[in-house]
Amino acid sequence: MKATKESSKERKESKESKKAVVVAEALKTTTTSAGAREYPKDQPLEVVTEADLQYFVEIFNGEMCRMQAVIPAIDTLDSVCRHQLRALLRKYPMAKLEKMATMAAESDFLNGGGQRGFKADMEWLTREANFLKVVNGKYSNIPAHRRWRDPAIVRAETEAQRRELVRKVEQEMHDQRERDYAYRRQNAATVEEIRAILGDRCVI
């Protein structure tokens, strides 16, 4: 009887131990909101609640504020944004939507930095096609040395650099001639020195 009780106790402890391991593993693959809601990092939501939408709005507004973005923050979701956001959360994990908000806030193009001054907003960003473009880096900032530049401007700058180089070379040659002339004047031999050197051969 005693052995049976001990065996039952061991099985119970084993189950609790396994449960703790499962919970620990789950925590490694989730992200927690301010309201203690856990969002799987690699799975979409089966059911999207109003709290889920509000959580993303808070993340979105926080990223826009952090980067001082031109993209407007959201006070209240309209029906279009609400529908599009629900669809995204059912298809993509919350972590990917958070990534989109960060990348959009950091993008110069989406904040009016393009040639046409286009500025994104929540309605545009939550369209699935645009959402995927943002998270895939299409609107990420391009390093200055790799940005497209008007060939006419590049040619003009190249010509200006060439003229400046020619001017510097000519100035250096002029300065060198001046230094040579000053040296010759300072170190020129006098008539008496020449006669002393040449002696009888001097015809000066």
Side-chain angles (χ1 to χ4, degrees):
M1 184 70 177
K2 184 177 181 181
T4 304
K5 289 183 178 179
E6 289 179 353
S7 177
S8 176
K9 184 178 180 181
E10 288 176 359
R11 285 197 299 271
K12 185 176 180 181
E13 290 177 350
S14 177
K15 287 181 180 179
E16 290 178 353
S17 177
K18 289 179 180 179
K19 184 177 180 181
V21 171
V22 171
V23 171
E25 290 297 323
L27 289 174
K28 291 180 182 178
T29 59
T30 59
T31 179
T32 306
S33 72
R37 168 71 188 273
E38 294 178 352
Y39 295 101
K41 289 186 176 180
D42 56 354
Q43 295 177 1
L45 301 177
E46 294 182 4
V47 178
V48 180
T49 66
E50 191 64 27
D52 300 325
L53 300 179
Q54 189 58 39
Y55 170 68
F56 176 74
V57 168
E58 292 174 2
I59 293 295
F60 182 86
N61 289 346
E63 289 301 306
M64 298 307 129
C65 180
R66 180 179 68 85
M67 293 300 300
Q68 298 182 343
V70 175
I71 298 173
I74 299 300
D75 183 26
T76 304
L77 287 170
D78 60 28
S79 59
V80 175
C81 291
R82 189 180 299 275
H83 174 74
Q84 293 177 169
L85 187 54
R86 283 183 183 276
L88 289 177
L89 287 170
R90 290 193 186 102
K91 194 169 183 180
Y92 303 97
M94 179 67 78
K96 185 161 283 191
L97 272 75
E98 294 177 16
K99 178 182 177 182
M100 179 273 286
T102 300
M103 295 180 73
E106 294 174 349
S107 169
D108 291 340
F109 180 86
L110 296 179
N111 283 275
Q115 292 182 345
R116 299 182 180 180
F118 169 75
K119 292 182 292 186
D121 56 20
M122 175 69 87
E123 190 274 331
W124 187 91
L125 291 168
T126 51
R127 296 178 199 168
E128 185 175 8
N130 298 333
F131 164 80
L132 291 175
K133 290 176 183 178
V134 174
V135 296
N136 288 331
K138 180 174 181 179
Y139 299 108
S140 297
N141 296 334
I142 302 173
H145 68 280
R146 298 190 62 187
R147 293 177 185 173
W148 181 89
R149 302 184 66 203
D150 189 334
I153 295 176
V154 174
R155 286 195 297 271
E157 290 181 352
T158 302
E159 179 62 21
Q161 292 173 358
R162 187 192 68 79
R163 288 196 299 268
E164 179 63 18
L165 180 60
V166 170
R167 186 194 68 77
K168 288 182 178 180
V169 171
E170 291 178 345
Q171 183 64 42
E172 180 60 29
M173 293 174 64
H174 175 269
D175 294 343
Q176 185 62 46
R177 287 195 297 269
E178 289 293 322
R179 289 192 293 268
D180 291 345
Y181 178 68
Y183 178 82
R184 287 195 300 270
R185 288 186 59 186
Q186 183 177 359
N187 297 281
T190 63
V191 174
E192 289 75 13
E193 290 173 336
I194 295 175
R195 283 174 177 170
I197 294 171
L198 297 179
D200 295 339
R201 292 175 295 170
C202 182
V203 293
I204 298 179

